[in-house]
Amino acid sequence: LKNKTSDTDQTLIQKIKEGDTSAFGQLIEKYKNVSLSLVYSILKDKELSEDVLQDIFIKVFEKIDSFKYQSIFSTWLYRIVINTSYNELKKIKPKVDIDNITLLPEGFITKEDFFKVENQKRFIQLALKAIKPEESVVLNLFYLCEMSILEITKITGFSESKIKVNLHRGRSNLDFQLRRLLGDELKNLL
Amino acid sequence: MNEQKIKEILERSRLETSSDFTEKLIYRIETKKSEGTSIVWSFPTILTVVTLILFCVSFLLYQSLNSRGFFFGINRNELKTPFFLIFSILFLLVINYIMKLNETHKQRKNELGIS
């Protein structure tokens, strides 16, 4: 378990606290893509996720003075990312019903389509879109952000057992959705 | 599917922000910072305050012109009409100016995408 903000982050945060906006730009560059994946895992809409992420980073900039190095910066950041995304999900839920996008279209992939890397990325995103937000967010935190279960409990507020269940269900559902989407081609993925 | 494959799949799925994401964000932050130090623009408040000031001035002027006497050798009563004509034009010009400022302010906010 990491328990300290990296020296690079610490230097950048100190500069931001002193009013250096360009240092914040460097911090954004480092965390923006993983943060976007986390927001997307909850909201399931790329354009909306980018807009929400902009607001999240503004919130982070405004609150950075309250960051006292008691936790790792990424843990603090991802907690804001996830809380804000869930709040946004509550607002849009009447408009976008996540449960209604759980079915993926079957057998629409041709072999030529499949071998293009960009398409593979799209297929994986489609499969992830069909997974419940709490499952995909835990999968992303565990595999993409390489967070431990303990760190995930701090970020999401979920209990350890709930995280383990979501990890297990997330893996099975991702596998199921990819099989459903790619059929026999799944073995050629990656 | 094994753990390693899931990890690779998730890494492959990593999203990327649009190319101008950071630039747009820094611009929004800089704007917010500069707005924080400027006067807060509230159209209804400014309009009410200006209207009240103008009405107070007009009331005082009315009281002063109602009294008998001369002002630079001219009967005060004769000054009423031209004074109120000038005052009305001035009032309309000030309201028009505030409305124009409000429009410019709204336009700027829209351009920056600030709600």
Side-chain angles (χ1 to χ4, degrees):
Chain A
L1 175 71
K2 294 162 265 174
N3 57 12
K4 194 173 162 277
T5 298
S6 73
D7 289 345
T8 332
D9 283 1
Q10 209 162 328
T11 315
L12 287 174
I13 293 163
Q14 200 47 48
K15 279 185 182 171
I16 299 162
K17 285 184 177 181
E18 285 161 11
D20 184 351
T21 320
S22 67
F24 190 61
Q26 291 175 55
L27 207 64
I28 294 167
E29 283 298 320
K30 186 173 173 186
Y31 290 103
K32 64 179 186 178
N33 290 337
V34 175
S35 300
L36 182 66
S37 296
L38 286 174
V39 181
Y40 179 83
S41 67
I42 295 168
L43 299 178
K44 319 278 185 187
D45 179 317
K46 177 146 190 257
E47 221 170 289
L48 175 68
S49 300
E50 247 195 79
D51 290 343
V52 172
L53 190 60
Q54 285 257 339
D55 295 338
I56 290 170
F57 277 129
I58 289 177
K59 200 193 263 186
V60 167
F61 183 78
E62 287 168 346
K63 286 186 166 191
I64 200 119
D65 280 331
S66 68
F67 178 69
K68 305 285 182 213
Y69 307 99
Q70 283 159 347
S71 58
I72 316 163
F73 175 73
S74 57
T75 310
W76 183 77
L77 170 71
Y78 296 151
R79 191 162 52 223
I80 298 176
V81 168
I82 284 163
N83 287 343
T84 314
S85 303
Y86 271 116
N87 286 339
E88 199 60 36
L89 182 66
K90 279 182 206 156
K91 285 188 218 160
I92 60 158
K93 209 158 189 184
K95 293 176 212 157
V96 183
D97 188 358
I98 300 293
D99 294 334
N100 282 339
I101 52 167
T102 50
L103 291 178
L104 290 172
E106 277 181 278
F108 71 94
I109 300 157
T110 63
K111 276 209 165 152
E112 300 82 63
D113 276 346
F114 181 76
F115 287 105
K116 289 175 191 157
V117 172
E118 265 316 298
N119 281 341
Q120 285 192 5
K121 188 173 182 165
R122 196 165 61 85
F123 301 142
I124 299 167
Q125 278 164 4
L126 265 175
L128 280 169
K129 200 173 180 172
I131 295 176
K132 284 185 179 168
E134 59 264 35
E135 290 169 12
S136 64
V137 85
V138 167
L139 279 180
N140 273 305
L141 284 169
F142 192 76
Y143 291 106
L144 201 60
C145 308
E146 295 181 330
M147 295 277 176
S148 66
I149 304 269
L150 191 60
E151 282 169 319
I152 300 174
T153 58
K154 284 182 190 166
I155 293 170
T156 57
F158 297 162
S159 64
E160 260 190 61
S161 54
K162 187 175 177 179
I163 290 165
K164 283 175 186 166
V165 169
N166 277 323
L167 262 179
H168 177 73
R169 285 191 188 150
R171 277 191 295 254
S172 316
N173 286 336
L174 180 63
D175 186 49
F176 170 78
Q177 293 296 348
L178 283 171
R179 271 178 212 288
R180 184 180 167 81
L181 185 66
L182 304 172
D184 289 341
E185 297 297 339
L186 179 62
K187 61 180 181 294
N188 297 321
L189 186 67
L190 304 171
Chain B
M1 207 183 291
N2 64 35
E3 296 260 320
Q4 189 53 36
K5 187 142 186 175
I6 294 217
K7 189 172 162 54
E8 281 169 19
I9 284 174
L10 285 168
E11 265 164 14
R12 176 67 59 87
S13 78
R14 188 188 295 224
L15 290 170
E16 274 165 31
T17 59
S18 51
S19 53
D20 60 346
F21 180 86
T22 310
E23 204 179 304
K24 252 166 79 179
L25 183 65
I26 296 295
Y27 185 65
R28 280 182 70 185
I29 290 171
E30 294 282 8
T31 312
K32 268 203 155 187
K33 263 168 84 177
S34 63
E35 276 199 342
T37 53
S38 68
I39 303 161
V40 178
W41 180 264
S42 166
F43 179 63
T45 317
I46 291 172
L47 195 64
T48 313
V49 170
V50 168
T51 309
L52 276 174
I53 291 170
L54 288 174
F55 271 102
C56 286
V57 171
S58 88
F59 178 75
L60 290 173
L61 203 63
Y62 181 78
Q63 290 296 322
S64 129
L65 291 176
N66 246 357
S67 59
R68 291 181 177 198
F70 291 89
F71 187 74
F72 286 107
I74 308 164
N75 191 336
R76 285 190 181 199
N77 261 325
E78 284 173 19
L79 285 173
K80 265 185 184 174
T81 316
F83 256 117
F84 278 99
L85 193 69
I86 292 166
F87 183 80
S88 306
I89 294 168
L90 184 75
F91 178 75
L92 291 172
L93 284 174
V94 168
I95 299 296
N96 183 48
Y97 180 68
I98 294 171
M99 285 170 87
K100 269 188 186 168
L101 275 182
N102 188 50
E103 280 306 308
T104 319
H105 182 75
K106 269 189 191 167
Q107 211 177 331
R108 212 174 124 231
K109 272 177 97 176
N110 284 340
E111 283 166 7
L112 299 171
I114 303 165
S115 54

